[in-house]
Amino acid sequence: MHSKTVSIFGLGYIGLPTAAILADAGCQVIGVDVNPVAVETINRGEIHIIEPELANVVARNVAAGRLRATLTPEPADAFLITVPTPFEADHQPDLSYVKSATLAIASQLKAGDLVILESTSPVGATEQVAAWIAELRPELQVPGHSDQPNIAIAYCPERVLPGKVMAELVSNDRVVGGITPDCSLRASELYQLFLQGECVTTNARTAEMCKLTENSFRDVNIAFANELSLICHALDIDVWELIQLANHHPRVNILQPGPGVGGHCIAVDPWFIVSQTPELARLIRTAREVNDSKPFWVLDQVKQAVADCLMANGKTASAIKIACFGLAFKPDIDDLRESPAMQVAKLISEWHQGETLLVEPHIRQLPQTFTGKATLVSVDEALQSAEIVVLLTDHKVFKALDKSQLTTDFVIDTRGAWRN
Ligand SMILES: NC(=O)c1ccc[n+]([C@@H]2O[C@H](COP(=O)([O-])OP(=O)(O)OC[C@H]3O[C@@H](n4cnc5c(N)ncnc54)[C@H](O)[C@@H]3O)[C@@H](O)[C@H]2O)c1
């Protein structure tokens, strides 16, 4: 085995579970992060993120001396980069975190070492990592810059599901793309220390594009469902019944519409393709636009419901209460980051003159982004006092509601969970 000491740059939702699993597989793992709180927490054997099954694995490996965290880079046999790759205001990928991690790694590299970029990245990012290393360490034989490389550089994207990271890190298949075939082989050897899934090798550019393709595929298919929901509304057709019927076709499998697309992968990664090939990625761009516009369409439905409600019961707008059911970006979790449900609830609370009641059984207090007129309430309180009810997240507890409790005529069900 080439890589006994492994250093992981970026100890977040991807890096820390990977570090813990590599330590469990017997490696000496040095985690490097720029966040001192994360470093101190991990060195106490604790975790600073929420992920089931992670705490125990970190605790036992820190206690066994196989895992520790630091703010300062140290020599290792293999270096993994799991830092953020957000996009800038104009949807261009921001590789500044990858660059600073690469420069820190370059300062520690010696012949025989392996560097793997795992962060979701635009095509060409791994070659860019190689170029930064070659520039900083001209005495090393860098793949792509030398005929006889003495270090290996590869890309290996992550495709785990938050909430199941510890299981999926081991069981999912991995795509490994080296700058050269030998780089792919070297990287595969590292993953095979813990991987039960298949390790499939290709080149770096294809592996980068593979990750972007997976999330764009999801985005385009959700956009199709979301667009159908708009069309069906205009034509007075129940979109969920329609999709159920169409999916009886043996080769049709339409996804479900919703209030938009959330999470920090599906809503971000397709832009990396669009930014590199804007003339060609027409469908991918349009899908992003369709999904990004859906929360505003839901807001329009709410505005229409308020107008209808005013007509029906003669109240003033400020006396009308709107209840939003769900803030999390998917069912039965507490994660509000990049959630379209949060976006819709915020849009409603900022627009509506009356009170906005927010029902999210998985949190204890509202995020500070909500202003005065929004209140966190129980399911019962919302059902008793709201004139307008908007379902945004299909939590089990909402789906299980007795429909007779929904006494108002003004129900906007963005998930199709309350259909008869
Ligand atoms: N979270 C997911 O479900 C998921 C899934 C697939 C792919 N990804 C991709 O994996 C990458 C990491 O995502 P994440 O969710 O783990 O991010 P995160 O924000 O949870 O963690 C990133 C960590 O990197 C640290 N960091 C920033 N700059 C650094 C530097 N120069 N050196 C060392 N550490 C540094 C941060 O302090 C942070 O702790 C991203 O590219 C993301 O798109 C994430």
Side-chain angles (χ1 to χ4, degrees), residues 233-416:
H233 185 265
L235 299 179
D236 197 19
I237 291 169
D238 178 338
V239 68
W240 286 279
E241 184 192 1
L242 172 88
I243 291 173
Q244 219 170 43
L245 294 174
N247 283 351
H248 276 275
H249 186 294
R251 286 166 296 282
V252 171
N253 185 14
I254 304 169
L255 302 183
Q256 300 296 302
V261 166
H264 38 275
C265 290
I266 298 182
V268 173
D269 304 350
W271 286 119
F272 289 5
I273 300 179
V274 174
S275 72
Q276 286 191 299
T277 50
E279 307 290 319
L280 304 172
R282 293 181 298 157
L283 185 60
I284 295 172
R285 175 201 289 276
T286 304
R288 270 295 58 248
E289 288 167 353
V290 167
N291 287 333
D292 274 354
S293 65
K294 188 74 192 283
F296 298 95
W297 184 85
V298 177
L299 177 65
D300 287 343
Q301 301 305 302
V302 173
K303 287 181 178 176
Q304 186 58 55
V306 170
D308 294 345
C309 184
L310 287 174
M311 293 280 285
N313 68 16
K315 282 188 179 179
T316 60
S318 54
I320 290 177
K321 289 182 182 163
I322 304 175
C324 296
F325 278 67
L327 296 174
F329 83 90
K330 60 177 190 170
D332 308 321
I333 59 164
D334 65 352
D335 195 343
L336 311 184
R337 295 172 307 157
E338 324 285 340
S339 166
M342 268 287 286
Q343 190 187 350
V344 172
K346 227 171 133 336
L347 285 169
I348 292 172
S349 71
E350 283 161 7
W351 166 80
H352 182 44
Q353 294 168 25
E355 215 180 326
T356 304
L357 308 176
L358 304 169
V359 189
E360 179 46 79
H362 299 92
I363 61 170
R364 286 169 176 222
Q365 63 184 52
L366 278 185
Q368 288 176 344
T369 48
F370 284 103
T371 49
K373 283 182 300 168
T375 328
L376 188 64
V377 301
S378 68
V379 170
D380 287 344
E381 194 179 339
L383 289 175
Q384 277 158 22
S385 57
E387 282 82 8
I388 297 171
V389 171
V390 190
L391 179 74
L392 296 170
T393 312
D394 45 351
H395 290 313
K396 276 195 199 104
V397 54
F398 298 160
K399 286 203 281 192
L401 275 180
D402 178 355
K403 305 294 178 306
S404 66
Q405 289 180 272
L406 280 171
T407 48
T408 173
D409 290 337
F410 302 101
V411 176
I412 296 162
D413 177 0
T414 69
R415 299 281 184 180

